[in-house]
Amino acid sequence: MQDPPRSRLSATDAPGELDREGSRAPDCRYRKMFEAARDGILLVNADTGKIEDANPSLTRLLGYSHADLLGKKLWQLVSSEDHTEWREMFANLQTTGSVRREDFPLRTRAGTRIDVELLCNVYDCEGVKVIQCNLRNISERRNTEKFLQDSERRYRHLIENSPDIVYTYSSKRGGIYYSPRVTSILGHSVEHLLAHPSLWSASIHPDDTATIALAIQAYQRTGAPFRMEYRIIDASGNWHWLYDRAIESYVENGDFIIEGLAMDITDRRLAQTRLAYLTRVHAVLSGINSLIVRVTDRDELFRESCRIAVESAGFCMAMLAVIDRETGKVAPVASAGKTEDLMSDVRSTLGSDQTSSATMVSRAIREKRAIVSNNAFDDPQLSLGSKYTQAGVRSLVVLPLLVDGHAHGVLALYATESDFFHREELNLLQQLAANVAFAIDHVDKQERLNYLAYYDVLTGLANRNLFLERVAQYMRSATDRSHMLAIGLFDLERFRNINDSLGR
């Protein structure tokens, strides 16, 4: 391939190396370097501003042929709006002899704008001032930088608008980064958390800290997946459930760094808890309904109802109390889960004229509605609140047992969870209480029918049916044991007149 034609000032005329005799190095040496350079090179007449030579890298960069570039003015390589800037640079170059620009616009032959890094120096070449311009295309670098900036912006936008807390945790320094989402979930500002690096770990529920510490240690040792659900308290004192998972980790100067995501799953956990609660209530409802079908004895009904509530449904305590027909006071008739000391206190409270009326039991009977306490710690309506909290009770409900609109007693259920009894549970429990009341009424009626079958309503004395049944029993016993049996018959004179006038 032949060298392109050279103008009066060409690359071989630029300052070159001197050989040992002081003469210039061969022209071809500098020409090869000129043409092999990866950066574009222009040689420009400093007096006229015309391009005298250009290397192949520049022609490829701008899309011109070598011949097209020769004789062009330097500012013809830019858009018209950039002419003034080029002229100012050219004037500055003639004054100072050197100009460097890190971002300068050029225009290709196709009209596309590109950005170049520009270094221009003025040389004196045998009495002619020559400008050597080295141009490096930085458009790709600019595009890469812009891409990275856009990616960073999008990433930051995703982080700042993510429903999860994005965090960075240091094994030595604690929390070192939190996304803005942390404020809406936990109520602490990012600045406050960064100023108190141990606040996050200090806010974790005591029952969860040991498990988390072991999981982090295993993650550090083996890289085993770190996924944990734990409770953390917010700035207002409310507990949140977080699902926390590490997405990346690395070691920096001996410091183990975790980057992770923490999702607020409080609503999901509450829904799971509510479902578990409802499942427990359904269990006791189903168990007592089965009990009602087979039990005909009042005491067994009471006793088994309390047992099912504790053993099958998971309530920590249960109690049945009914109104005594003779005294009109409420008295416990069955319980499960309660100690004898606690039952003694309950009987004493319900049996006292001074304390009974203020109890939840009396209120449920008097108002004929369920009375609920979802916080046994400091609920003033609990007469024995301190006793119950010592026994682990956190919530309780007292349900009236209504028959034909009249309260015959109550069913009390006790839970170890705070805030246990809500609308869904109460709807099922009220149905449960109605079924228990129906069973009590059914047993009472059955006992009444059995009574009327053998006793006179007016006198309460045994009637003919019971008399004949007992006589038959005695006769069989006498026959089996060879006993003597005698039957005496008493006749009252004129008793017919009493029957006829007053009725049998």
Side-chain angles (χ1 to χ4, degrees):
M1 178 183 292
Q2 295 182 347
D3 292 341
R6 293 191 296 141
S7 59
R8 188 172 62 86
L9 293 175
S10 69
T12 57
D13 296 321
E17 297 179 355
L18 298 178
D19 61 17
R20 284 176 296 182
E21 288 76 19
S23 61
R24 296 195 179 278
D27 291 350
C28 64
R29 182 184 305 171
Y30 184 78
R31 187 71 190 179
K32 288 180 179 179
M33 294 173 58
F34 178 78
E35 293 186 352
R38 298 181 62 181
D39 293 340
I41 302 176
L42 277 175
L43 295 181
V44 181
N45 188 304
D47 295 324
T48 64
K50 291 183 178 181
I51 298 173
E52 299 287 347
D53 203 354
N55 71 344
S57 292
L58 186 70
T59 59
R60 287 193 299 270
L61 175 65
L62 298 182
Y64 289 98
S65 68
H66 185 268
D68 290 336
L69 285 173
L70 297 181
K72 282 186 178 294
K73 297 284 188 178
L74 193 58
W75 44 86
Q76 289 181 287
L77 299 180
V78 298
S79 301
S80 57
E81 62 268 19
D82 297 321
H83 280 185
T84 301
E85 188 175 0
W86 264 99
R87 289 179 183 275
E88 291 176 353
M89 186 201 73
F90 188 71
N92 187 36
L93 183 62
Q94 289 179 319
T95 303
T96 62
S98 179
V99 169
R100 183 184 186 93
R101 295 288 299 272
E102 294 186 357
D103 187 357
F104 203 79
L106 285 181
R107 185 184 61 181
T108 67
R109 184 172 189 174
T112 304
R113 175 191 169 108
I114 61 174
D115 294 319
V116 298
E117 185 178 343
L118 179 66
L119 175 62
C120 295
N121 290 291
V122 179
Y123 299 101
D124 184 67
C125 184
E126 297 179 350
V128 179
K129 286 186 177 181
V130 180
I131 302 173
Q132 178 176 319
C133 298
N134 290 61
L135 301 96
R136 177 173 297 173
N137 184 10
I138 61 171
S139 296
E140 185 175 347
R141 188 180 77 191
R142 292 293 187 194
N143 291 336
T144 302
E145 290 175 352
K146 185 177 183 302
F147 175 78
L148 292 175
Q149 290 171 355
D150 291 343
S151 297
E152 174 68 17
R153 178 180 53 79
R154 287 193 297 268
Y155 175 75
R156 185 163 294 279
H157 179 75
L158 289 173
I159 293 298
E160 292 178 351
N161 293 278
S162 171
D164 299 346
I165 300 172
V166 182
Y167 68 89
T168 304
Y169 173 82
S170 161
S171 61
K172 293 182 178 180
R173 293 169 287 164
I176 56 178
Y177 172 79
Y178 297 99
S179 63
R181 177 64 172 160
V182 72
T183 303
S184 59
I185 294 178
L186 297 183
H188 297 294
S189 68
V190 173
E191 294 74 16
H192 182 72
L193 284 167
L194 294 179
H196 301 82
S198 62
L199 178 58
W200 181 285
S201 57
S203 300
I204 295 173
H205 196 286
D207 293 345
D208 300 333
T209 53
T211 305
I212 293 174
L214 291 174
I216 291 178
Q217 291 170 9
Y219 185 59
Q220 289 178 281
R221 289 194 314 271
T222 66
F226 176 78
R227 298 184 181 91
M228 291 289 299
E229 292 185 7
Y230 58 86
R231 289 158 290 180
I232 189 168
I233 196 167
D234 65 16
S236 301
N238 300 312
W239 288 101
H240 294 258
W241 276 97
L242 296 183
Y243 173 53
D244 195 345
R245 62 270 192 214
I247 57 175
E248 188 175 355
S249 65
Y250 56 93
V251 178
E252 183 179 86
N253 298 326
D255 191 359
F256 186 75
I257 308 295
I258 295 176
E259 294 178 346
L261 301 172
M263 178 190 300
D264 187 355
I265 59 168
T266 304
D267 291 341
R268 188 182 81 189
R269 289 296 296 242
L270 289 176
Q272 291 173 345
T273 303
R274 295 245 60 81
L275 180 61
Y277 290 169
L278 292 173
T279 301
R280 285 165 54 180
V281 176
H282 273 291
V284 68
L285 180 61
S286 175
I288 289 182
N289 285 345
S290 300
L291 175 68
I292 290 171
V293 173
R294 60 181 175 82
V295 171
T296 58
D297 179 75
R298 283 169 59 92
D299 292 338
E300 184 180 1
L301 173 66
F302 296 157
R303 185 174 59 253
E304 285 297 295
S305 295
C306 291
R307 184 191 64 79
I308 290 172
V310 172
E311 295 183 6
S312 300
F315 291 104
C316 62
M317 298 179 189
M319 182 185 74
L320 256 165
V322 298
I323 300 174
D324 191 297
R325 295 174 181 174
E326 295 182 0
T327 64
K329 293 185 177 181
V330 183
V333 292
S335 69
K338 287 191 175 185
T339 64
E340 187 54 41
D341 290 341
L342 185 55
M343 282 302 300
S344 177
D345 291 331
V346 172
R347 293 189 191 95
S348 176
T349 302
L350 293 177
S352 171
D353 294 334
Q354 288 75 28
T355 58
S356 176
S357 60
T359 62
M360 292 175 62
V361 170
S362 295
R363 284 185 56 200
I365 291 174
R366 186 169 59 249
E367 300 175 19
K368 299 177 183 178
R369 66 179 181 89
I371 305 298
V372 176
S373 173
N374 273 323
N375 184 8
F377 279 109
D378 54 8
D379 193 339
Q381 66 179 330
L382 287 176
S383 301
L384 298 173
S386 60
K387 301 272 187 183
Y388 283 128
T389 54
Q390 290 175 9
V393 174
R394 299 295 178 265
S395 304
L396 66 146
V397 62
V398 180
L399 301 153
L401 303 176
L402 302 175
V403 178
D404 296 330
H406 299 287
H408 284 225
V410 296
L411 170 63
L413 299 172
Y414 307 78
T416 56
E417 302 91 347
S418 297
D419 203 35
F420 181 92
F421 298 101
H422 292 278
R423 181 175 57 83
E424 296 89 346
E425 291 84 359
L426 288 177
N427 288 340
L428 291 172
L429 291 174
Q430 285 170 340
Q431 180 182 345
L432 169 66
N435 290 352
V436 172
F438 169 80
I440 292 173
D441 183 50
H442 176 73
V443 170
D444 286 347
K445 288 178 178 178
Q446 189 62 46
E447 290 179 349
R448 182 64 173 166
L449 289 174
N450 293 338
Y451 175 81
L452 293 177
Y454 295 105
Y455 292 90
D456 181 73
V457 177
L458 180 62
T459 63
L461 298 176
N463 61 15
R464 174 192 290 263
N465 292 334
L466 182 57
F467 171 73
L468 294 177
E469 184 178 296
R470 294 293 169 81
V471 167
Q473 290 177 1
Y474 292 141
M475 290 176 65
R476 287 194 296 272
S477 178
T479 300
D480 293 340
R481 300 180 182 181
S482 301
H483 291 167
M484 300 295 291
L485 175 67
I487 299 176
L489 178 63
F490 295 87
D491 186 17
L492 301 179
E493 293 181 357
R494 295 185 297 280
F495 190 67
R496 179 185 296 274
N497 295 335
I498 297 175
N499 284 338
D500 292 342
S501 60
L502 299 178
R504 297 183 64 86

